[in-house]
Amino acid sequence: MIFTTKAEYGVRLLVELGRQDSGTPVSLKAIAETEGLPLAYLERIVALLKKADLVESTRGAHGGYRLARPAHEIHMDEAVLALEGGIAPMSCFVEEREDGRVLCSHLDEGHTGCATRLLWTRVQGGVLGALAKTTLQELVDFAGPALVSTSTPDPVGAALPLHDAA
Amino acid sequence: MIFTTKAEYGVRLLVELGRQDSGTPVSLKAIAETEGLPLAYLERIVALLKKADLVESTRGAHGGYRLARPAHEIHMDEAVLALEGGIAPMSCFVEEREDGRVLCSHLDEGHTGCATRLLWTRVQGGVLGALAKTTLQELVDFAGPALVSTSTPDPVGAALPLHDAA
DNA sequence: AGCTATTCCGACGCTTTGGGTAGGATTAGG
DNA sequence: CCTAATCCTACCCAAAGCGTCGGAATAGCT
């Protein structure tokens, strides 16, 4: 079980925006370059954040994006939910819908099925809890000061060998 | 983010075995039928559980599987780990390997990258915590008494409309 | 011995979806 | 009106999920 790159890139994008909460918008191009992410793909990702009212945009030349709220008011459950479109540990597990149905397998045949429901419920709770208690501000602090257009490398962490191409 | 059917089917299988902790082994065929799961696929799934020493098998006629330990000693983190082959919330996030490398994206280019690491670490902790604190016995109790070969329907729960074919 | 029920094992195939591109339309500053 | 940016929709490729198939090995039964 794994989140997709939408969550990864989207959170990175938010962190980048959080680093310069100045009022002036940041262009996706700048973020794409400093983070080394594909611009076209970022466009689609940021659209999700905008729809969820986590970021605001200014169009035209010198336009870009900024946080719609201060970083410490943005909790990551909101962000990841917007990016991934739902937090369910199992396809057979979706929060109640309008029509009240819940996806699951063959319960009609006997009440079987979701003995596992208890488990997935707890897992979902664990994930949502971890996300909700983390604010964007924490991630910004953790990441260190601004990176976009200011290249002062390596204040923090610096460990973590990466990018396994194997 | 979502677990695969391996986790779902595998846990269901364990629950089914837990329901009759009598010493006599249960055949996959029986489980496949009562749970409505594809036998051939279950075979491959149970192999994962066996390799992790969660179940034992007896070959030949009247063979089958049984739990390798009492249900209350089987914690679900072990099971899900065996079934899914690792619990990472992000592809860029794998526990240390022998060679000490950690998968992640472009950290070489500057320490950037894992501002998000803090977040995924917490999420992983939430998931593992939820899994570890749940024992197979709990799920067995939650599911109600035996179902394989004894058809006393509906002692418990009984809610949960299911199987959305949409 | 042979039959049958079962676990074991490896190769293969279908379908979905993640991850990304391409190309253009719209908006706004200079 | 040119350029820099957001916006939007359609498309494509590779990987992974979710199985199937066929057969081998093992063990009880008659």
Coordinates of all heavy atoms in Angstrom, one line a residue, chain A residues 36-80:
Chain A
G36 N 12.8 19.7 -9.4 CA 13.1 18.7 -10.4 C 11.9 17.9 -10.8 O 12.0 16.7 -11.0
L37 N 10.7 18.5 -10.9 CA 9.5 17.8 -11.2 C 9.0 18.3 -12.6 O 9.2 19.4 -12.9 CB 8.5 18.0 -10.1 CG 8.9 17.6 -8.7 CD1 7.8 18.0 -7.7 CD2 9.2 16.1 -8.7
P38 N 8.3 17.4 -13.3 CA 7.7 17.8 -14.6 C 6.6 18.8 -14.5 O 5.7 18.6 -13.8 CB 7.2 16.5 -15.1 CG 7.0 15.6 -14.0 CD 8.0 16.0 -12.9
L39 N 6.8 19.9 -15.2 CA 5.9 21.1 -15.1 C 4.5 20.7 -15.5 O 3.5 21.0 -14.7 CB 6.4 22.2 -16.0 CG 5.5 23.4 -16.2 CD1 5.2 24.0 -14.8 CD2 6.1 24.4 -17.2
A40 N 4.3 20.0 -16.6 CA 3.0 19.7 -17.1 C 2.2 18.9 -16.1 O 1.0 19.1 -15.9 CB 3.1 19.0 -18.4
Y41 N 2.9 18.0 -15.4 CA 2.3 17.2 -14.4 C 1.9 18.0 -13.2 O 0.8 17.8 -12.6 CB 3.2 16.0 -14.1 CG 2.6 14.9 -13.3 CD1 1.3 14.5 -13.5 CD2 3.3 14.1 -12.4 CE1 0.7 13.5 -12.8 CE2 2.8 13.1 -11.7 CZ 1.5 12.7 -11.9 OH 0.9 11.7 -11.2
L42 N 2.8 18.8 -12.8 CA 2.5 19.7 -11.6 C 1.3 20.5 -11.9 O 0.5 20.8 -10.9 CB 3.7 20.6 -11.4 CG 4.8 20.2 -10.4 CD1 5.7 21.3 -10.1 CD2 4.2 19.6 -9.2
E43 N 1.1 21.0 -13.1 CA -0.1 21.8 -13.4 C -1.4 21.0 -13.0 O -2.3 21.6 -12.4 CB -0.1 22.1 -14.9 CG 0.9 23.1 -15.3 CD 0.8 23.4 -16.8 OE1 -0.1 22.8 -17.5 OE2 1.6 24.2 -17.3
R44 N -1.4 19.7 -13.3 CA -2.6 19.0 -13.0 C -2.7 18.7 -11.5 O -3.8 18.6 -11.0 CB -2.5 17.6 -13.8 CG -2.6 17.9 -15.3 CD -2.7 16.6 -16.0 NE -3.3 15.5 -15.2 CZ -3.3 14.2 -15.6 NH1 -2.8 13.9 -16.8 NH2 -3.9 13.3 -14.9
I45 N -1.6 18.6 -10.9 CA -1.6 18.4 -9.4 C -2.1 19.6 -8.7 O -2.9 19.5 -7.8 CB -0.3 17.9 -8.9 CG1 0.0 16.5 -9.5 CG2 -0.2 18.0 -7.4 CD1 1.4 16.0 -9.2
V46 N -1.6 20.7 -9.1 CA -1.9 22.0 -8.4 C -3.4 22.3 -8.6 O -4.0 22.9 -7.7 CB -1.0 23.1 -8.8 CG1 -1.5 23.7 -10.1 CG2 -1.0 24.2 -7.7
A47 N -3.9 21.8 -9.6 CA -5.4 22.0 -9.9 C -6.2 21.4 -8.8 O -7.2 22.0 -8.3 CB -5.8 21.5 -11.2
L48 N -5.7 20.3 -8.3 CA -6.4 19.6 -7.2 C -6.4 20.4 -5.9 O -7.4 20.5 -5.2 CB -5.8 18.2 -7.0 CG -5.8 17.2 -8.2 CD1 -4.9 16.0 -7.9 CD2 -7.2 16.8 -8.5
L49 N -5.2 21.0 -5.7 CA -5.1 21.8 -4.5 C -5.9 23.1 -4.6 O -6.5 23.5 -3.6 CB -3.6 22.1 -4.3 CG -2.7 21.0 -4.0 CD1 -1.2 21.4 -4.0 CD2 -3.1 20.3 -2.7
K50 N -6.0 23.6 -5.8 CA -6.8 24.8 -5.9 C -8.3 24.5 -5.7 O -9.0 25.3 -5.1 CB -6.6 25.4 -7.3 CG -7.3 26.7 -7.5 CD -7.0 27.2 -9.0 CE -8.1 28.2 -9.4 NZ -7.7 29.6 -9.0
K51 N -8.7 23.4 -6.3 CA -10.1 23.0 -6.2 C -10.5 22.8 -4.7 O -11.6 23.1 -4.3 CB -10.4 21.8 -7.0 CG -11.9 21.5 -7.1 CD -12.2 20.6 -8.3 CE -11.5 19.2 -8.1 NZ -11.9 18.3 -9.2
A52 N -9.5 22.4 -3.9 CA -9.8 22.2 -2.5 C -9.5 23.5 -1.7 O -9.5 23.4 -0.5 CB -8.9 21.1 -2.0
D53 N -9.3 24.6 -2.4 CA -9.1 25.8 -1.7 C -7.9 25.8 -0.8 O -7.9 26.5 0.3 CB -10.3 26.3 -0.9 CG -11.4 26.7 -1.8 OD1 -11.2 27.5 -2.8 OD2 -12.6 26.3 -1.6
L54 N -6.9 25.1 -1.2 CA -5.6 25.2 -0.4 C -4.6 26.2 -1.0 O -3.8 26.7 -0.3 CB -5.0 23.8 -0.3 CG -5.8 22.8 0.5 CD1 -5.3 21.4 0.3 CD2 -5.7 23.1 2.0
V55 N -4.8 26.4 -2.3 CA -3.9 27.4 -2.9 C -4.8 28.4 -3.7 O -5.9 28.1 -4.1 CB -2.8 26.8 -3.8 CG1 -2.0 25.8 -3.0 CG2 -3.5 26.2 -5.0
E56 N -4.2 29.6 -4.0 CA -4.9 30.5 -4.8 C -3.9 30.8 -6.0 O -2.7 30.6 -5.9 CB -5.1 31.8 -4.1 CG -6.2 31.7 -3.0 CD -6.2 33.0 -2.1 OE1 -5.3 33.8 -2.2 OE2 -7.2 33.1 -1.4
S57 N -4.5 31.3 -7.1 CA -3.7 31.5 -8.3 C -3.9 32.9 -8.8 O -4.9 33.5 -8.6 CB -4.0 30.5 -9.3 OG -5.4 30.7 -9.8
T58 N -2.8 33.4 -9.5 CA -2.9 34.6 -10.3 C -2.5 34.3 -11.7 O -1.4 33.7 -11.9 CB -2.0 35.7 -9.7 OG1 -2.1 35.7 -8.3 CG2 -2.3 37.0 -10.3
R59 N -3.3 34.6 -12.6 CA -3.0 34.3 -14.0 C -2.2 35.3 -14.7 O -2.0 36.4 -14.1 CB -4.3 34.0 -14.8 CG -5.2 33.0 -14.2 CD -6.3 32.7 -15.1 NE -5.9 32.2 -16.4 CZ -6.7 31.6 -17.2 NH1 -8.0 31.4 -16.9 NH2 -6.3 31.2 -18.4
G60 N -1.7 35.0 -15.9 CA -1.0 36.0 -16.6 C 0.5 36.1 -16.2 O 0.9 35.4 -15.4
A61 N 1.2 37.0 -16.9 CA 2.6 37.2 -16.6 C 2.8 37.5 -15.2 O 2.0 38.2 -14.6 CB 3.1 38.3 -17.5
H62 N 3.9 37.0 -14.6 CA 4.2 37.2 -13.2 C 3.2 36.6 -12.3 O 3.1 37.0 -11.1 CB 4.5 38.7 -12.9 CG 5.5 39.3 -13.7 ND1 5.3 40.3 -14.6 CD2 6.8 39.0 -13.8 CE1 6.4 40.6 -15.2 NE2 7.4 39.9 -14.8
G63 N 2.4 35.8 -12.8 CA 1.4 35.1 -12.0 C 2.0 33.9 -11.3 O 3.2 33.8 -11.2
G64 N 1.1 33.1 -10.7 CA 1.6 31.9 -10.0 C 0.7 31.5 -8.9 O -0.5 31.9 -8.9
Y65 N 1.2 30.8 -7.9 CA 0.4 30.3 -6.8 C 0.9 30.8 -5.5 O 2.1 31.0 -5.3 CB 0.3 28.8 -6.9 CG -0.3 28.2 -8.1 CD1 0.5 28.0 -9.2 CD2 -1.6 28.0 -8.2 CE1 -0.1 27.5 -10.4 CE2 -2.2 27.5 -9.3 CZ -1.5 27.2 -10.4 OH -2.0 26.7 -11.6
R66 N 0.0 30.9 -4.5 CA 0.3 31.1 -3.1 C -0.7 30.3 -2.2 O -1.8 29.9 -2.7 CB 0.3 32.5 -2.7 CG -1.0 33.3 -3.0 CD -0.8 34.8 -3.0 NE -1.6 35.6 -4.0 CZ -2.4 35.2 -4.9 NH1 -2.5 33.9 -5.1 NH2 -3.0 36.0 -5.7
L67 N -0.3 30.1 -1.0 CA -1.2 29.4 -0.1 C -2.4 30.2 0.2 O -2.4 31.5 0.3 CB -0.5 29.1 1.2 CG 0.8 28.2 1.2 CD1 1.4 28.1 2.5 CD2 0.4 26.9 0.6
A68 N -3.5 29.6 0.3 CA -4.8 30.3 0.5 C -4.9 30.6 2.0 O -5.7 31.5 2.4 CB -6.0 29.4 0.1
R69 N -4.1 29.9 2.8 CA -4.1 30.1 4.3 C -2.7 30.1 4.8 O -1.9 29.4 4.2 CB -5.0 29.0 5.0 CG -6.4 29.2 4.8 CD -7.1 28.0 5.5 NE -7.3 26.9 4.6 CZ -7.5 25.6 4.9 NH1 -7.3 25.3 6.2 NH2 -7.7 24.7 4.1
P70 N -2.5 30.6 6.0 CA -1.1 30.4 6.6 C -0.8 28.9 6.8 O -1.7 28.1 7.0 CB -1.2 31.2 7.9 CG -2.7 31.5 8.1 CD -3.3 31.5 6.8
A71 N 0.4 28.6 6.7 CA 0.9 27.2 6.7 C 0.5 26.5 7.9 O 0.2 25.3 7.9 CB 2.4 27.1 6.5
H72 N 0.4 27.2 9.0 CA 0.1 26.4 10.3 C -1.4 26.1 10.4 O -1.8 25.4 11.3 CB 0.6 27.2 11.5 CG -0.1 28.5 11.7 ND1 -1.3 28.7 12.3 CD2 0.2 29.8 11.2 CE1 -1.7 29.9 12.3 NE2 -0.8 30.6 11.6
E73 N -2.1 26.6 9.5 CA -3.6 26.3 9.5 C -3.9 25.2 8.5 O -5.1 24.9 8.3 CB -4.4 27.6 9.2 CG -4.4 28.6 10.3 CD -5.3 29.8 10.0 OE1 -6.0 29.7 9.0 OE2 -5.1 30.8 10.7
I74 N -2.9 24.8 7.7 CA -3.2 23.7 6.7 C -2.7 22.4 7.3 O -1.6 22.1 7.5 CB -2.4 24.0 5.4 CG1 -3.0 25.3 4.8 CG2 -2.5 22.9 4.5 CD1 -2.3 25.7 3.5
H75 N -3.7 21.5 7.5 CA -3.4 20.2 8.0 C -3.3 19.2 6.8 O -4.1 19.3 5.9 CB -4.5 19.8 9.0 CG -4.5 20.6 10.3 ND1 -3.9 20.1 11.4 CD2 -4.9 21.9 10.5 CE1 -4.0 21.1 12.4 NE2 -4.6 22.1 11.8
M76 N -2.4 18.3 7.0 CA -2.1 17.5 5.8 C -3.2 16.5 5.4 O -3.2 15.9 4.3 CB -0.8 16.7 6.1 CG 0.4 17.6 6.3 SD 0.4 19.0 5.1 CE 0.8 18.1 3.6
D77 N -4.1 16.2 6.3 CA -5.2 15.3 5.9 C -6.0 15.9 4.8 O -6.4 15.3 3.8 CB -6.1 14.9 7.1 CG -6.7 16.2 7.8 OD1 -6.1 17.2 7.7 OD2 -7.7 16.0 8.4
E78 N -6.2 17.2 4.9 CA -6.9 18.0 3.9 C -6.2 17.9 2.6 O -6.8 17.6 1.5 CB -7.0 19.4 4.3 CG -8.4 20.0 4.2 CD -8.3 21.5 4.6 OE1 -7.7 21.9 5.6 OE2 -8.9 22.3 3.8
A79 N -4.9 18.1 2.7 CA -4.1 18.2 1.5 C -4.1 16.8 0.8 O -4.4 16.7 -0.4 CB -2.7 18.6 1.8
V80 N -3.8 15.8 1.5 CA -3.6 14.4 0.9 C -5.0 14.0 0.4 O -5.1 13.3 -0.6 CB -3.1 13.5 1.9 CG1 -3.1 12.0 1.4 CG2 -1.6 13.8 2.3

